[in-house]
Amino acid sequence: MLTLGKIDHIRISVSDVPKALAWYQRVLGLAPDPRYRNLQEAPHSVWMIANPSSTVRLALYQDRGSSGASGSVAFVVSGQEFVDWIDRLAGERVVSRDGQTIARDSVKDHGFFCAIAFVDPFGNGFEIVSYDHTWLAGKLKLKIERRPAKQV
């Protein structure tokens, strides 16, 4: 039977990212995780913040189009479980936010982890994430895109 490993991160919609970053750091002690710096740029525009041990992670994104907050929950699994979950979601005809049925080509390659995003029947967002990137890249024949390092 398939099981979920643990919650990887919770995606939080905010209307003002700099204000949110300051609040989450001041109040909850969550600071930007430098490993996810590349996600801050388009098309992702996500700021991953974490506690010092990285056992709690929130993914902040600026929601420009909606007045209400929304989010999603991400679960982390092994590489093989990730592949099994894709097949399970496809078999159940689960869809992404844009209404496309989940399939192996729905995988998002984030460079050092892979994710598959979907919604429940009520529009609540979920992701399954795996950090077994090298294994998944070979298994799913992902096209690895290397971006040049950003100059500071």
Side-chain angles (χ1 to χ4, degrees):
M1 172 161 187
L2 286 174
T3 61
L4 300 170
K6 64 180 183 176
I7 292 176
D8 182 75
H9 66 272
I10 298 174
R11 187 172 158 108
I12 306 290
S13 170
V14 298
S15 60
D16 183 332
V17 170
K19 183 177 179 180
L21 288 169
W23 187 90
Y24 281 103
Q25 187 157 10
R26 185 182 75 251
V27 176
L28 299 178
L30 303 175
D33 187 330
R35 297 176 299 163
Y36 297 88
R37 187 173 296 133
N38 68 314
L39 295 181
Q40 294 172 10
E41 301 170 16
H44 307 293
S45 301
V46 171
W47 285 259
M48 191 73 78
I49 59 175
N51 65 349
S53 63
S54 262
T55 57
V56 173
R57 280 195 297 267
L58 299 179
L60 303 179
Y61 72 100
Q62 187 154 343
D63 186 359
R64 293 175 176 85
S66 155
S67 59
S70 63
S72 65
V73 177
F75 300 99
V76 66
V77 298
S78 72
Q80 182 59 58
E81 290 168 323
F82 186 84
V83 172
D84 293 343
W85 274 107
I86 295 168
D87 295 344
R88 168 83 175 270
L89 296 170
E92 293 288 335
R93 311 273 309 147
V94 172
V95 298
S96 63
R97 283 205 185 275
D98 62 4
Q100 299 297 311
T101 301
I102 296 300
R104 289 190 178 198
D105 64 354
S106 304
V107 172
K108 300 294 183 211
D109 181 353
H110 294 288
F112 70 102
F113 69 95
C114 294
I116 191 86
F118 57 97
V119 295
D120 71 7
F122 310 99
N124 296 305
F126 293 90
E127 284 183 284
I128 296 182
V129 173
S130 177
Y131 290 90
D132 291 342
H133 182 266
T134 303
W135 186 84
L136 285 167
K139 178 76 173 173
L140 299 174
K141 298 178 179 32
L142 299 176
K143 294 180 180 91
I144 301 174
E145 295 181 30
R146 299 283 184 223
R147 293 185 218 169
K150 188 175 183 180
Q151 298 298 319
V152 181

